[in-house]
């Protein structure tokens, strides 16, 4: 029966997502909660800790997309983890290990510890304490094998300092401060080799949006988030689109609107509303090309979960990109037949790094041929751009 239900779930999720809609999936195990945190390991999403009607928790659960099911996992700290219960923590994953740091508990308003979870041994181990002040409601993300943690609130107020963690040598390094104002309850995530931080609370609710480049340790301000200023929203990226959804806004409303940011055009567009009730302090994670959002608080604690597959923000321009990509999978190269010569083709790695200048592309009036060259086996993203309208098509190719 479970196999049949899983097949029905996958069939429905595929057909509904073509319409830019949200689909309810299996609720998180345990009591409804808010201010939990999450990371992704081994193609599964994890929900950790949080606050429920009975207090702060340290329990962890994992979600399997193909089975549409949550499983119980080892709590933070394992058998000796008493006192590590927390909410408003920060989390990230690197090299198939998950990490949780900072947060608050019942008797401790500000944590600064760091814990690593190894799914192979099913064990937690404590790592070097966070270098900055103890705090909660900070942002965290990972880029190229390093973690980045900053902002939040400590015993002295809002913060904007930022730090890098190297898991190979278990050390922290201080970086340039976040480019915006000191704040708590912002969104923070990585996408395409960069990271993004926006919205939050610095005494007033905010709608600014910033990009961080790790190679230069620099922040630049991007187009403002066009929704109402808010705190406790969720943010996630599926290159070349990023999303901000839900949160509590400056009209004291728990929101369920969804906004998409396009990496190439530095522009926002509104998408289909999150189909659950409005809320703040939910969790989000991305598995493949599907995003998941759930839990949170809107006067009640919640445990519901929803899945979303994004539309390209340029779907209105499909008439310019009736592309036929073949063979796919491919060995030596791939041909792209198009109906107009007003297009250029770009190739990206799956993490968003452009590879166009490193490959050979042959163009005719109605086709492109991408010579694989020395590209390793794996999936790549093809993007077609129109000279006036920008990006009009995105697809994947697998080189064997």
């Amino acid at each position: 029966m479970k196999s049949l239900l899983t097949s029905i779930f996958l069939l429905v999720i595929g057909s509904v997502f073509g319409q830019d809609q949200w689909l309810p999936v299996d609720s998180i195990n345990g009591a409804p909660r808010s201010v939990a945190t999450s990371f992704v390991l081994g193609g599964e999403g994890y929900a950790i800790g949080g606050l429920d009607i009975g207090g702060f928790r340290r329990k962890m659960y994992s979600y399997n997309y193909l089975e549409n099911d949550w499983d119980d996992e080892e709590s933070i700290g394992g058998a000796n983890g008493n006192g590590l219960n927390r909410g408003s923590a920060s989390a990230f994953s690197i090299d198939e290990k998950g990490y949780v740091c900072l947060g608050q508990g019942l008797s401790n308003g500000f944590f600064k510890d760091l814990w690593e979870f190894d799914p192979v041994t099913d064990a937690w181990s404590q790592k070097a304490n966070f270098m900055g002040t103890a705090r909660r409601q900070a942002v965290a993300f990972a880029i190229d094998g390093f973690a980045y943690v900053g902002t939040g609130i400590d015993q002295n107020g809002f913060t904007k300092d930022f730090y890098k963690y190297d898991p190979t040598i278990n050390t922290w390094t201080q970086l340039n401060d976040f480019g915006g104002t000191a704040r708590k309850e912002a969104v923070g995530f990585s996408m395409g080799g960069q990271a993004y931080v926006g919205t939050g609370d610095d005494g007033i609710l905010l709608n600014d949006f910033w990009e961080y480049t790790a190679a230069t340790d620099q922040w630049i301000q991007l187009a403002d988030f066009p929704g109402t200023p808010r705190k406790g929203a969720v943010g996630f990226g599926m290159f070349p689109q990023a999303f901000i959804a839900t949160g509590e806004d400056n009209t004291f409303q728990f929101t369920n609107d969804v906004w998409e940011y396009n990496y190439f055009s530095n522009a926002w567009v509104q998408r289909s509303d999150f189909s659950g009730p409005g809320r703040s302090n939910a969790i989000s994670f991305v598995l493949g090309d599907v995003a998941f959002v759930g839990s949170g608080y809107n006067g009640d604690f919640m445990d519901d979960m929803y899945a979303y597959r994004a539309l390209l923000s340029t779907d209105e321009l499909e008439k310019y990109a009736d592309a036929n990509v073949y063979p796919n999978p491919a060995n030596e190269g791939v041909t792209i037949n198009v109906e107009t010569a007003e297009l250029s083709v770009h190739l990206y790695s799956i993490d968003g790094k452009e590879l166009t200048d490193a490959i050979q592309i042959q163009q005719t009036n109605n086709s492109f041929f991408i010579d694989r060259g020395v590209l390793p086996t794996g999936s790549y993203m093809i993007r077609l751009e129109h000279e006036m309208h920008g990006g009009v098509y995105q697809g994947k190719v697998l080189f064997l």
Side-chain angles (χ1 to χ4, degrees), residues 58-79:
R58 64 185 183 96
K59 194 73 184 89
M60 180 168 72
Y61 306 95
S62 65
Y63 176 74
N64 185 299
Y65 168 36
L66 295 179
E67 296 180 357
N68 187 31
D69 184 58
W70 289 88
D71 291 320
D72 291 6
E73 301 288 351
E74 187 68 76
S75 300
I76 298 175

Side-chain angles (χ1 to χ4, degrees), residues 4-26 63-69 238 275 285-293 305-311:
L4 175 60
L5 292 176
T6 298
S7 298
I8 293 173
F9 166 72
L10 294 174
L11 177 62
V12 172
I13 206 169
S15 61
V16 171
F17 281 153
Q19 306 167 36
D20 183 36
Q21 295 181 3
W22 292 81
L23 178 72
V25 296
D26 189 35
Y63 176 74
N64 185 299
Y65 168 36
L66 295 179
E67 296 180 357
N68 187 31
D69 184 58
M238 294 185 287
S275 60
F285 52 83
V286 175
L287 303 178
D289 57 359
V290 181
F292 296 83
V293 176
M305 202 78 189
Y306 300 82
Y308 176 72
R309 179 174 289 147
L311 291 175

Side-chain angles (χ1 to χ4, degrees), residues 1-322:
M1 177 61 72
K2 186 171 184 178
S3 176
L4 175 60
L5 292 176
T6 298
S7 298
I8 293 173
F9 166 72
L10 294 174
L11 177 62
V12 172
I13 206 169
S15 61
V16 171
F17 281 153
Q19 306 167 36
D20 183 36
Q21 295 181 3
W22 292 81
L23 178 72
V25 296
D26 189 35
S27 297
I28 305 174
N29 290 2
R33 82 212 61 196
S34 181
V35 295
T37 191
S38 62
F39 52 64
V40 171
L41 288 176
E44 296 189 350
Y46 286 71
I48 310 103
L51 174 68
D52 65 27
I53 196 169
F56 289 101
R57 304 300 178 193
R58 64 185 183 96
K59 194 73 184 89
M60 180 168 72
Y61 306 95
S62 65
Y63 176 74
N64 185 299
Y65 168 36
L66 295 179
E67 296 180 357
N68 187 31
D69 184 58
W70 289 88
D71 291 320
D72 291 6
E73 301 288 351
E74 187 68 76
S75 300
I76 298 175
N80 300 315
N82 290 336
L84 298 179
N85 308 43
R86 69 189 64 198
S88 301
S90 302
F92 52 89
S93 57
I94 298 175
D95 294 334
E96 291 306 315
K97 293 182 180 179
Y99 297 82
V100 174
C101 62
L102 314 181
Q104 70 176 117
L106 180 62
S107 60
N108 188 346
F110 306 98
F111 283 107
K112 67 179 302 179
D113 53 349
L114 171 68
W115 290 84
E116 176 190 86
F117 176 70
D118 185 340
V120 176
T121 61
D122 194 33
W124 289 89
S125 58
Q126 189 168 8
K127 297 299 180 179
N129 281 350
F130 176 64
M131 188 178 184
T133 56
R135 65 190 66 186
R136 62 178 184 257
Q137 297 168 324
V139 300
F141 45 81
I143 303 173
D144 294 335
F146 299 96
Y148 299 81
V149 181
T151 69
I153 185 169
D154 66 12
Q155 63 179 356
N156 297 312
F158 302 120
T159 65
K160 62 184 298 184
D161 48 338
F162 244 86
Y163 303 85
K164 178 172 73 172
Y165 176 70
D166 184 343
T168 62
I169 55 176
N170 189 31
T171 58
W172 293 88
T173 304
Q174 187 166 7
L175 304 169
N176 288 330
D177 286 354
F178 168 59
T181 57
R183 67 191 65 194
K184 65 173 184 174
E185 294 187 79
V187 300
F189 55 91
S190 58
M191 179 188 73
Q194 282 82 33
Y196 300 85
V197 174
T199 67
D201 178 5
D202 72 353
I204 61 172
L205 300 191
L206 303 164
N207 68 343
D208 55 341
F209 191 62
W210 296 76
E211 180 183 77
Y212 176 71
T213 301
T216 59
D217 188 23
Q218 295 296 316
W219 294 89
I220 61 170
Q221 189 168 5
L222 303 175
D224 284 348
F225 170 69
T228 51
R230 65 192 62 192
K231 64 180 180 179
V234 296
F236 52 89
M238 294 185 287
F239 186 85
Q241 283 87 35
F243 298 82
I244 293 179
T246 68
E248 183 180 2
D249 73 8
N250 58 350
T251 67
F252 307 104
Q253 298 297 309
F254 293 103
T255 65
N256 67 349
D257 52 339
V258 178
W259 295 84
E260 176 193 291
Y261 173 81
N262 187 281
Y263 171 88
F264 295 103
S265 62
N266 186 30
W268 294 86
V269 62
Q270 190 167 7
R271 289 303 183 193
S272 296
D273 285 350
F274 175 69
S275 60
R279 66 194 65 198
S280 67
N281 295 302
I283 62 168
S284 66
F285 52 83
V286 175
L287 303 178
D289 57 359
V290 181
F292 296 83
V293 176
S295 73
Y297 181 80
N298 64 358
D300 295 306
F301 294 107
M302 288 173 283
D303 62 359
D304 53 341
M305 202 78 189
Y306 300 82
Y308 176 72
R309 179 174 289 147
L311 291 175
L312 290 175
S313 63
T314 52
D315 56 290
E316 298 87 356
L317 301 172
E318 286 179 351
K319 63 181 180 180
Y320 290 106
D322 184 14

